[in-house]
Amino acid sequence: MYDRLFSPIQIRGLELKNRVVLPAMGTRMAGEKGEITPRLVAYHAARAAGGCGLNIVEVAAVHTPSAPAHFVSISDDSLIGGHKKLTDAIHQNGGKAAIQLWQGSIATTFDPRAEMLVVNDMEFAGKKLKAITTDRIQEIVECYGKAAARCVEAGYDCLEFHCAHNYLPHSFLSGGLNHRTDEYGGSFENRSRFPLECIRAIRNAIPEEMPLFMRIDAHDDYLPGGLTIEEIIEFCCIAGENGVDVLDVSRGNIITAGSVYEVPPIDIPRGFNVENAARIRRETKMATIAVGRINTAEQAEAILEEDKADMVVMGRAQLADPEFCNKAREGRTEDIIHCVGCNQGCYDGFCDLRNRPFITCLRNPCLGREEEWKLTKAETPKRVYIAGGGMAGLEAARVLLMRGHHPVIFEAGDRLGGQFITAGQAPGKEEMKQAAISFGRLVERSGAEVRFHTPLTPEIITEEKPDAVIAAVGSAPIELKLPGSGKKMVCQAHAVLEHEVEPEGSVCVIGGGLVGLEAADALAAAGHPVKVLEMKDKAGEDLGMLRKIAVMQKLGGESVGIITSARCIEINETGVVVETPEGKETVACDSVVLAVGSASRDSSALEEASEKAGADFFVIGDAKRARRAIDAIAEGFDIARQV
């Protein structure tokens, strides 16, 4: 299956077994000094073993003073040995290894101890920064060449030069960022000078037969005076003349709302950047990699079949399922666990320096724990009853089956997937709904017994005496009882998303978190005038940064009004009475939708019955505490690996 996707490709002296590329995604799995860790080795080894054609190791600093902690570095000879272990692991598992050479400019703000090199004098993150000098520019150019030589010694098969996303080479190239007046600024030729010097330094340090890739932005989103696709094409042609072989066509930047395209969430259409890659390929006549929410084998195959690219980046697709390539190649597409573009574990997890030491994945709790959470067969198979067929319960059942246990899912309704399906009812989130449905089918197909329309009760536990019980009963929407509620139609946001009710006329949504905003989106799409009332000073506080940008842009386009710092105190004949810093006012509406959060469902009766029956008892997911799906699924995995 997917003959084009899994056909080999030759680039200079390198043959790749297929057209799938694991891109250089930041993981924060490197050590304090940027050294390669066993965790990072295991992460890459799993994707190579899963059938990926080329693993590109994440942004690797070439310059020690500006190398942030826990970002990979190749800036010193002492690091070569660790990289050799990594390339050996990729090769031993059937893959090929590349590394992305990088100088991060303002992105080094992740580590306040790292030097921040910038193209111009500027203020950033509360600091006044001086423009990099011409002497320092030459130092960085030399660092690229020395880093490239180390990569050859470490056993990499090819290299990638990062010239995108506001990092230092892109900052010089872009007229929207580069305001220098010396030989490195002004004209397109001058702005191209530094990145071309870096390319030549890399090319001169590596063997003739070694390919050189370059990551570029298709253009500069939301950046006045920024690069156009025509300028990118012109630069790529010159870069090709200087030794670049392959163009890795990304999009997005880290200083404007264009960041939403760098790690695009579910709100951004799948394959949104493919036509840019196709045009650049056509006009440069260079080998090109398509990038941007390509997460199914069917989609990837179509891109290649239509001759829009030579290879495809499938990054988060392989975070969610490291066996993606093997499953697709063998025709087991129904068994693939697909990325849903939630960004909770990869992007949000990368940015959450306080709570998450490295990235993870909502759909794959093992990401970053490939060795420590490796599953083992249970010594004694157990009959495990799971109360609730949501995502946490399904994940627990899946892992229990893999370990040889006998899970039985008790689902009060007629479907599996729980609130993940509800979330997938919001406009633009069909992928999430389908992922939940597909996951339920996978668990059933794997051998789990499912009893629909059958909530787990203390009586069942007492009578059937399972060995263990897992309560995954989830949470229920909180009922907000405001004075005067009987004067308007009042319903829950979940009921709106599930199309169980249709509010009348104009609507006030009380609660501006994720659920409230998505209910507002659904209502606006159905033609209702909508206002969102949020008690906090900002709406969307429980959304990750990129999803928040996308959701707010969409709501703005739909003219959804958002009133913050608004405490709802009453419903009257006219609308909802709110108290704001300016005083009381009535927000007019015909109907009210509640989205004020959820509370865990009580599982104490199940716990008591389990104790009497001698069964081990566990609580996971929202039944433990109402949170995000990433936490619920991780708990399902963790408990199931210990039973």
Side-chain angles (χ1 to χ4, degrees), residues 57 102 227 317 359 381 405 414 467 471 555 598 604 627:
V57 176
W102 174 80
L227 290 163
I359 67 166
H405 291 303
D414 60 357
D467 298 299
L555 293 179
S598 297
S604 58
R627 288 155 297 157

Side-chain angles (χ1 to χ4, degrees), residues 33 79 114 132 148 183 197 222 241 278 313 344 354 405 420 484 490 494 511 525 533 537 541 564 597 599:
K33 296 181 179 179
L79 298 165
I132 185 172
E183 68 269 33
E197 288 177 349
Y222 300 99
E241 294 168 0
V313 152
Q344 289 184 22
R354 291 176 298 177
H405 291 303
F420 217 69
V490 179
H494 285 75
L533 310 177
D537 60 357
E541 287 295 275
T564 56

Side-chain angles (χ1 to χ4, degrees), residues 340-354:
V340 293
C342 72
N343 280 12
Q344 289 184 22
C346 52
Y347 187 85
D348 299 341
F350 184 88
C351 297
D352 187 0
L353 300 179
R354 291 176 298 177

Side-chain angles (χ1 to χ4, degrees), residues 50-320:
C52 184
L54 179 66
N55 287 40
I56 306 181
V57 176
E58 65 202 76
V59 289
V62 299
H63 176 244
T64 299
S66 60
H70 303 294
F71 281 57
V72 169
S73 179
I74 189 66
S75 64
D76 188 85
D77 289 352
S78 64
L79 298 165
I80 295 173
H83 283 274
K84 187 68 169 67
K85 291 179 181 177
L86 177 54
T87 59
D88 284 348
I90 293 171
H91 293 150
Q92 287 162 10
N93 284 281
K96 298 292 185 182
I99 186 169
Q100 190 178 73
L101 300 183
W102 174 80
Q103 202 298 314
S105 188
I106 58 174
T108 64
T109 189
F110 275 96
D111 182 354
R113 297 166 297 181
E115 192 174 339
M116 202 180 293
L117 305 178
V118 294
V119 62
N120 314 299
D121 292 350
M122 66 167 65
E123 284 195 32
F124 182 77
K127 300 177 183 178
K128 289 188 176 181
L129 304 170
K130 299 295 291 182
I132 185 172
T133 65
T134 53
D135 286 345
R136 205 67 186 282
I137 289 170
Q138 290 310 306
E139 177 188 331
I140 299 301
V141 170
E142 291 175 14
C143 285
Y144 272 101
K146 291 176 180 177
R150 293 186 193 104
C151 294
V152 175
E153 188 175 344
Y156 285 100
D157 301 291
C158 57
L159 307 183
E160 180 166 87
F161 170 57
H162 203 321
C163 192
H165 302 169
N166 301 145
Y167 303 136
L168 196 61
H170 174 249
S171 297
F172 271 81
L173 184 61
S174 173
L177 298 167
N178 184 346
H179 308 301
R180 298 175 73 99
T181 56
D182 61 5
E183 68 269 33
Y184 287 97
S187 68
F188 179 78
E189 180 183 2
N190 284 355
R191 288 185 278 117
S192 301
R193 192 181 307 278
F194 171 61
L196 289 175
E197 288 177 349
C198 295
I199 289 168
R200 286 192 288 268
I202 295 168
R203 186 75 260 174
N204 290 337
I206 63 178
E208 178 66 24
E209 67 272 14
M210 178 179 278
L212 176 57
F213 292 44
M214 179 172 69
R215 171 151 277 208
I216 55 163
D217 285 329
H219 51 78
D220 283 347
D221 291 283
Y222 300 99
L223 189 61
L227 290 163
T228 64
I229 193 168
E230 290 79 13
E231 287 180 306
I232 286 292
I233 289 167
E234 183 180 354
F235 177 73
C236 288
C237 290
I238 300 169
E241 294 168 0
N242 282 268
V244 168
D245 303 292
V246 179
L247 304 173
D248 184 1
V249 184
S250 185
R251 191 170 154 194
N253 55 66
I254 59 176
I255 60 169
T256 73
S259 59
V260 77
Y261 298 116
E262 189 176 343
V263 189
I266 192 170
D267 314 87
I268 305 300
R270 294 169 59 227
F272 68 95
N273 197 38
V274 170
E275 293 305 323
N276 287 325
R279 179 180 172 187
I280 290 169
R281 179 177 185 265
R282 189 168 58 248
E283 296 190 26
T284 63
K285 297 182 171 53
M286 295 174 68
T288 304
I289 307 174
V291 178
R293 290 253 293 136
I294 302 168
N295 60 3
T296 70
E298 291 83 0
Q299 180 190 11
E301 180 76 4
I303 291 166
L304 298 173
E305 281 287 341
E306 293 165 13
D307 212 27
K308 293 180 176 178
D310 299 277
M311 290 174 277
V312 289
V313 152
M314 304 193 79
R316 288 175 294 171
Q318 293 184 85
L319 298 187

